């Protein structure tokens, strides 16, 4: 199910660090379904599909037996971590992962409806986590509610990986481990309806952002370009965390970059 401009979605609840100070109110707030939310998607929706360059509104309804306190929406890239309350995703090439939104708002009364609006940027593609948290006036916290935002993007180039070191990344259970002095064959494709003007692969040491290997791909403006490149890990490569980065620019000058983490040891 896809939601475009001004999509209304029910969501859930998150945790802030308060204490109840010994009061008799020990009941946490809850999600509640207001009458005017009838017909909107369920508040238990785990996955939401949105398009880049659109505005999305998440509408929440909260209840408490005595007095509500505060709600927080935390939207961030799902790359590199998981939430216990969220669904586990397979291998995903995220783009524009520096995009994040955080908003906190006070709540009054025993029930309240609040909308959280965010603008999906041109650079974003992949999976984002939307964590919604709510506490009551005494600091009792409801469990976090995590919904995964699937961002589709037809405006920026897209990399698709076929095999990395002889296997599909979809089979990875953890980030790959490469050895100093080894050679890793990476195959895949780049696609963009406006054509591919430039493309490059790089292996970057995360500790100091230095490039230890790179290759410019042969592209000629085609909308679909296949590639097979051999990544050579220097024999004296520093052991530790690396990022395999893939960059591309389409025929209209729109840039993107994506990639995945690698351990060298």
């Amino acid at each position: 199910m896809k939601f475009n401009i001004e999509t209304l979605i029910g969501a859930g609840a998150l945790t802030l660090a308060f204490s109840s100070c010994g009061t008799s109110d020990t009941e946490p707030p809850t999600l509640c379904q207001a009458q005017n939310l009838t017909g909107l998607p369920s508040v238990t929706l785990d996955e939401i599909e949105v398009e880049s360059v659109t505005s999305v509104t998440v509408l929440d309804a909260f209840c408490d037996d005595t007095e509500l306190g505060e709600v927080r929406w935390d939207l961030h890239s799902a790359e590199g971590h998981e939430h216990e309350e969220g669904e586990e995703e397979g291998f995903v090439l995220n783009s524009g992962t520096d995009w994040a939104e955080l908003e906190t708002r006070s709540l009054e009364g025993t029930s309240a409806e609040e909308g959280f609006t965010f603008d999906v940027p041109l650079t974003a593609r992949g999976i984002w986590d939307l964590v919604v948290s709510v506490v009551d006036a005494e600091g009792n916290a409801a469990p976090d509610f995590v919904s995964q935002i699937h961002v589709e993007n037809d405006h920026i180039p897209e990399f698709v990986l076929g095999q990395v070191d002889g296997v599909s990344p979809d089979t990875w259970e953890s980030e790959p481990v490469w050895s100093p002095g080894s050679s890793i064959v990476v195959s895949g494709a780049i696609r963009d309806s406006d054509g591919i003007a430039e493309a490059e692969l790089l292996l970057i040491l995360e500790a100091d952002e230095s490039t230890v290997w790179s290759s410019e791909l042969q592209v000629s403006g085609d909308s679909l370009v296949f590639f097979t490149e051999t990544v050579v890990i220097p024999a004296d490569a520093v052991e530790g965390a690396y990022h395999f980065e893939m960059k591309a620019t389409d025929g209209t000058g729109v840039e993107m970059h994506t990639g995945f983490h690698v351990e060298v040891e």
Side-chain angles (χ1 to χ4, degrees):
M1 182 183 298
K2 292 189 177 180
F3 303 88
N4 294 317
I5 296 178
E6 295 301 319
T7 303
L8 299 181
I9 299 165
L14 142 97
T15 303
L16 300 178
F18 294 113
S19 60
S20 62
C21 304
T23 67
S24 59
D25 180 10
T26 60
E27 292 295 322
T30 62
L31 299 176
C32 54
Q33 184 71 41
Q35 291 298 318
N36 64 354
L37 294 184
T38 302
L40 294 179
S42 169
V43 295
T44 60
L45 197 63
D46 293 326
E47 297 184 356
I48 304 163
E49 293 188 8
V50 302
E51 300 284 345
S52 63
V53 202
T54 60
S55 181
V56 178
T57 297
V58 175
L59 184 61
D60 299 319
F62 308 105
C63 295
D64 189 70
D65 59 336
T66 56
E67 181 73 17
L68 290 164
E70 190 172 83
V71 60
R72 185 178 73 180
W73 295 272
D74 182 358
L75 178 68
H76 54 266
S77 171
E79 183 180 49
H81 71 280
E82 296 176 4
H83 291 277
E84 290 184 3
E85 300 84 356
E87 295 292 326
E88 183 178 351
E89 287 286 337
F91 178 76
V92 176
L93 285 173
N94 287 291
S95 304
T97 54
D98 56 348
W99 170 51
E101 304 281 347
L102 182 65
E103 183 175 337
T104 302
R105 198 176 301 165
S106 296
L107 302 174
E108 296 181 354
T110 56
S111 64
E113 296 175 35
E114 294 290 337
F116 168 57
T117 299
F118 56 90
D119 296 324
V120 187
L122 172 66
T123 56
R125 176 192 284 128
I127 308 297
W128 265 253
D129 289 329
L130 176 59
V131 183
V132 186
S133 307
V134 63
V135 296
D136 66 17
E138 295 298 333
N140 300 303
D144 285 359
F145 183 90
V146 182
S147 184
Q148 291 195 321
I149 310 295
H150 293 236
V151 180
E152 304 291 340
N153 194 323
D154 295 328
H155 305 284
I156 61 176
E158 180 179 18
F159 276 89
V160 179
L161 288 176
Q163 289 195 334
V164 176
D165 200 21
V167 300
S168 169
D170 292 334
T171 66
W172 290 347
E173 296 183 357
S174 60
E175 60 189 23
V177 178
W178 298 347
S179 303
S182 63
S183 296
I184 308 296
V185 177
V186 178
S187 63
I190 323 167
R191 57 193 180 195
D192 190 289
S193 59
D194 295 311
I196 306 297
E198 298 178 6
E200 186 178 18
L201 307 181
L202 308 96
L203 183 63
I204 298 172
L205 175 62
E206 293 187 2
D208 60 8
E209 296 297 318
S210 61
T211 300
V212 301
W213 174 90
S214 66
S215 176
E216 291 189 10
L217 302 182
Q218 297 299 311
V219 297
S220 56
D222 294 332
S223 58
L224 178 61
V225 177
F226 294 94
F227 64 87
T228 298
E229 293 289 317
T230 300
V231 184
V232 179
I233 316 300
D236 59 352
V238 175
E239 294 189 356
Y242 286 72
H243 190 252
F244 186 76
E245 188 160 315
M246 298 174 280
K247 298 181 179 181
T249 304
D250 72 12
T252 66
V254 175
E255 301 177 351
M256 65 78 63
H257 69 272
T258 186
F260 55 87
H261 292 278
V262 175
E263 285 292 324
V264 172
E265 58 184 47

